[in-house]
């Protein structure tokens, strides 16, 4: 978003504040010290990767024409990941704001744009750890622990 000119606010834990600033955020909210819900800011777009605030709580910080993009869902049984998107679908006809579910589609033109942005340095990937193919179980355990600070790469042996 920053690479295409947006003002970006990031939300992360204390240990990631410097990293999020380094990636280009204009403001970083340390969720251990404050909540973006109580920040007094109003947003045009919220990309929710975590889902730790309700749809109604997010509406309090969304402008009238804002969009909340739900990325993924909470775990649990097979219904867990569907709860927030279903709630958003039910709520949508009754509010001005928009709710959307993020579904990745690999489009050649989009990938070409991303590749050009990466090659020119406008965007960068953050790699946390690299594992050999024989270490996949360790990589999965590390990922499931929920403390990765970037992508986890599996290298062919």
């Amino acid at each position: 978003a920053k690479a295409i000119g947006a003002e970006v606010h990031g939300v992360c834990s204390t240990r990631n504040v410097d990293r999020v600033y380094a990636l280009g955020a204009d403001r970083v909210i340390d969720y251990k010290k404050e909540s973006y819900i109580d920040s007094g800011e109003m947003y045009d777009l919220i990309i929710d990767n975590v889902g730790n605030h309700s749809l109604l709580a997010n509406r309090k910080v969304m402008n009238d024409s804002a969009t909340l993009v739900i990325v993924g869902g909470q775990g649990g049984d097979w219904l867990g990941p569907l709860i927030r998107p279903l709630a958003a679908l039910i709520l949508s006809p009754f509010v001005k704001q928009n709710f959307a579910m993020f579904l990745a589609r690999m489009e050649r033109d989009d990938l070409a744009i991303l590749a050009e942005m990466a090659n020119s340095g406008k965007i960068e990937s953050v790699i946390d750890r690299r594992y050999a193919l024989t270490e996949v179980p360790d990589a999965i355990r590390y990922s499931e622990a929920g403390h990765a600070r970037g992508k986890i790469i599996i290298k062919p042996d």
Side-chain angles (χ1 to χ4, degrees), residues 7 9 27 29 36-43 60-63:
E7 179 178 338
H9 294 195
R27 180 167 189 255
I29 298 170
Y36 71 93
I37 299 296
D38 300 321
S39 69
E41 300 279 349
M42 296 298 289
Y43 297 98
K60 293 178 186 175
V61 296
M62 294 171 66
N63 292 318

Side-chain angles (χ1 to χ4, degrees), residues 1 7 13 21 40-42 59 62 65-66 69 76 82 91 95 104 107 109 116 120-121 128 132 136 140 149:
E7 179 178 338
S13 65
Y21 273 125
E41 300 279 349
M42 296 298 289
R59 283 193 64 235
M62 294 171 66
S65 61
V69 179
L82 299 176
L91 183 61
V95 298
E107 301 287 340
D109 292 344
E116 171 55 34
S120 70
D128 183 316
V136 166
I140 292 171
R149 298 176 72 195

Side-chain angles (χ1 to χ4, degrees), residues 23-141:
L23 289 170
D26 297 292
R27 180 167 189 255
V28 178
I29 298 170
D30 178 348
Y31 69 76
K32 292 185 176 192
K33 297 178 181 175
E34 66 178 307
S35 170
Y36 71 93
I37 299 296
D38 300 321
S39 69
E41 300 279 349
M42 296 298 289
Y43 297 98
D44 295 317
L45 174 67
I46 297 173
I47 299 175
D48 188 353
N49 293 313
V50 179
N52 58 348
H53 292 288
S54 71
L55 299 174
L56 295 177
N58 275 297
R59 283 193 64 235
K60 293 178 186 175
V61 296
M62 294 171 66
N63 292 318
D64 284 347
S65 61
T67 298
L68 172 69
V69 179
I70 300 167
V71 180
Q74 287 135 338
D77 59 21
W78 65 272
L79 191 58
L82 299 176
I83 292 173
R84 283 177 61 81
L86 288 173
L89 185 65
I90 292 167
L91 183 61
S92 288
F94 304 103
V95 298
K96 293 179 181 179
Q97 293 95 347
N98 302 302
F99 297 100
M101 180 74 181
F102 178 79
L103 297 172
R105 286 189 307 257
M106 300 296 171
E107 301 287 340
R108 171 174 259 156
D109 292 344
D110 294 338
L111 293 174
I113 291 168
L114 287 173
E116 171 55 34
M117 292 173 83
N119 288 335
S120 70
K122 284 187 175 182
I123 61 172
E124 71 176 72
S125 295
V126 176
I127 299 171
D128 183 316
R129 295 193 181 177
R130 290 176 171 84
Y131 290 88
L133 193 56
T134 57
E135 299 173 308
V136 166
D138 294 331
I140 292 171
R141 278 190 287 280

